[in-house]
Amino acid sequence: MNGGLIRLREMLETLNPSESKIASYILQHPDEIIHLSVAELAQKSGSSQAAIVRLCKSIGFKGYQELKIKVAGDLHTRDPVAAGYQEIRPNDTVPAIMQNVSNNNIQSIRDTLTILDPNMVELAVKALDRARRIYFFGVGASNLIAMDAQQKFLRINKTSFSFADPHVQLTSAITADSGDTAVCISYSGETKEVIRAASLFKEQGGTVISITKYGHSTLSRQADIPLCTSSTENEIRSGAMASRITQLNLIDILYLAVASRNYEQSVTYLEKSRQTIKQL
């Protein structure tokens, strides 16, 4: 029962001013708010009780009590050693960079697990398992995730495609049909090329799975099955590092879940590909 602080942090920039003020107060005083009533929190944060209720709804909770339970869970499970996400700083030592980058990646994966909906993952696995063809759409760093996904699914004999050229992605989207599934990858959920590919794909009757950051976005709203990851990208987005790790981790989850459903067949194909590559 955790994930309250993560949801608040991930959605902070998309909240309206009154909700953002409350979210900021909670993030700054998490230990305090679990003992506050809704009226007390409204007074301390300089907001209204109605705004607190709206905030809870905005981040996907039924009410203030559920938010407090989730925040309490975060406090109970937090790592006292972790110092939160660390951005690159001038003249950092190599050991410090090693530690910070590794901690950021680990924390991103842990945070994603608290907000990733198992029911949505189950639906995504079913869609990928029954798909006649699977398309992975993404541009920039997200295309690297798409290429990795295609390589994995090909190894278990799932006909898969990824294209670096956004124009080819659009062309492939209009050739889809109801037996196909597309995985559309965009951390922001606002990459126009990927949104357009998802729209065209749906028009042809295909199933669209989105992988975006947590929160409301154009791509997640457009998807049949929205999946989200957590990753705080600070002022300097050094190659979208932490977000890339969480996306790769989610692809691995989907890949292994599909392989597990077809275990004997998957093992056979994996062994064939291993032996073929080994012969080289």
Side-chain angles (χ1 to χ4, degrees):
M1 293 296 287
N2 55 4
L5 295 177
I6 297 165
R7 294 194 189 198
L8 289 168
R9 187 190 68 221
E10 293 286 328
M11 292 191 66
L12 187 61
E13 293 183 359
T14 65
L15 298 171
N16 65 43
S18 60
E19 294 174 358
S20 179
K21 183 190 298 185
I22 303 164
S24 296
Y25 186 88
I26 295 173
L27 290 170
Q28 293 167 14
H29 308 89
D31 297 273
E32 176 186 339
I33 76 106
I34 60 175
H35 303 293
L36 298 178
S37 67
V38 64
E40 290 170 332
L41 176 58
Q43 181 181 22
K44 286 181 173 288
S45 62
S47 61
S48 66
Q49 296 184 42
I52 294 173
V53 173
R54 289 196 301 271
L55 169 64
C56 294
K57 301 292 184 182
S58 295
I59 63 174
F61 293 147
K62 296 177 181 177
Y64 180 55
Q65 191 60 32
E66 183 179 6
L67 171 60
K68 291 209 298 183
I69 292 172
K70 296 288 189 179
V71 171
D74 289 332
L75 297 176
H76 179 71
T77 58
R78 67 183 172 185
D79 185 352
V81 177
Y85 291 93
Q86 300 296 315
E87 188 53 271
I88 186 173
R89 295 167 300 191
N91 302 315
D92 267 347
T93 64
V94 169
I97 292 173
M98 291 168 58
Q99 192 69 46
N100 290 340
V101 170
S102 299
N103 285 344
N104 286 353
N105 291 338
I106 292 168
Q107 191 62 46
S108 291
I109 292 174
R110 286 177 173 169
D111 288 350
T112 293
L113 287 177
T114 68
I115 59 176
L116 190 59
D117 186 343
N119 294 323
M120 288 293 108
V121 176
E122 179 70 27
L123 290 175
V125 171
K126 289 180 180 178
L128 292 167
D129 186 35
R130 67 172 180 260
R132 184 172 64 92
R133 296 177 298 188
I134 304 173
Y135 295 84
F136 296 96
F137 296 141
V139 298
S142 292
N143 182 247
L144 300 177
I145 312 301
M147 293 169 61
D148 176 76
Q150 181 206 13
Q151 187 268 343
K152 284 183 167 67
F153 278 84
L154 279 176
R155 291 193 66 199
I156 57 173
N157 198 34
K158 297 296 291 184
T159 303
S160 308
F161 305 93
S162 68
F163 308 100
D165 188 331
H167 292 177
V168 180
Q169 292 184 31
L170 297 178
T171 301
S172 67
I174 63 174
T175 65
D177 59 37
S178 59
D180 300 333
T181 295
V183 180
C184 299
I185 307 164
S186 167
Y187 174 73
S188 67
E190 301 298 339
T191 307
K192 61 181 181 180
E193 296 91 343
V194 178
I195 292 170
R196 181 58 177 156
S199 177
L200 290 172
F201 201 89
K202 286 193 71 173
E203 287 177 10
Q204 312 312 311
T207 300
V208 173
I209 300 168
S210 67
I211 297 179
T212 68
K213 68 178 181 179
Y214 182 78
H216 305 299
S217 68
T218 302
L219 182 58
S220 63
R221 287 193 296 268
Q222 196 174 71
D224 299 296
I225 306 171
L227 302 178
C228 59
T229 63
S230 170
S231 172
T232 297
E233 301 289 0
N234 294 322
E235 288 85 359
I236 305 175
R237 293 191 66 214
S238 306
M241 291 185 296
S243 62
R244 185 190 70 243
I245 293 298
T246 56
Q247 290 169 342
L248 286 169
N249 190 63
L250 180 49
I251 289 295
D252 286 349
I253 291 170
L254 297 174
Y255 160 67
L256 290 175
V258 172
S260 177
R261 285 171 176 255
N262 308 277
Y263 181 77
E264 296 299 333
Q265 177 180 301
S266 297
V267 169
T268 298
Y269 283 114
L270 286 169
E271 180 60 22
K272 284 183 177 180
S273 64
R274 189 183 73 84
Q275 290 296 337
T276 300
I277 295 171
K278 185 178 180 180
Q279 291 171 8
L280 298 176

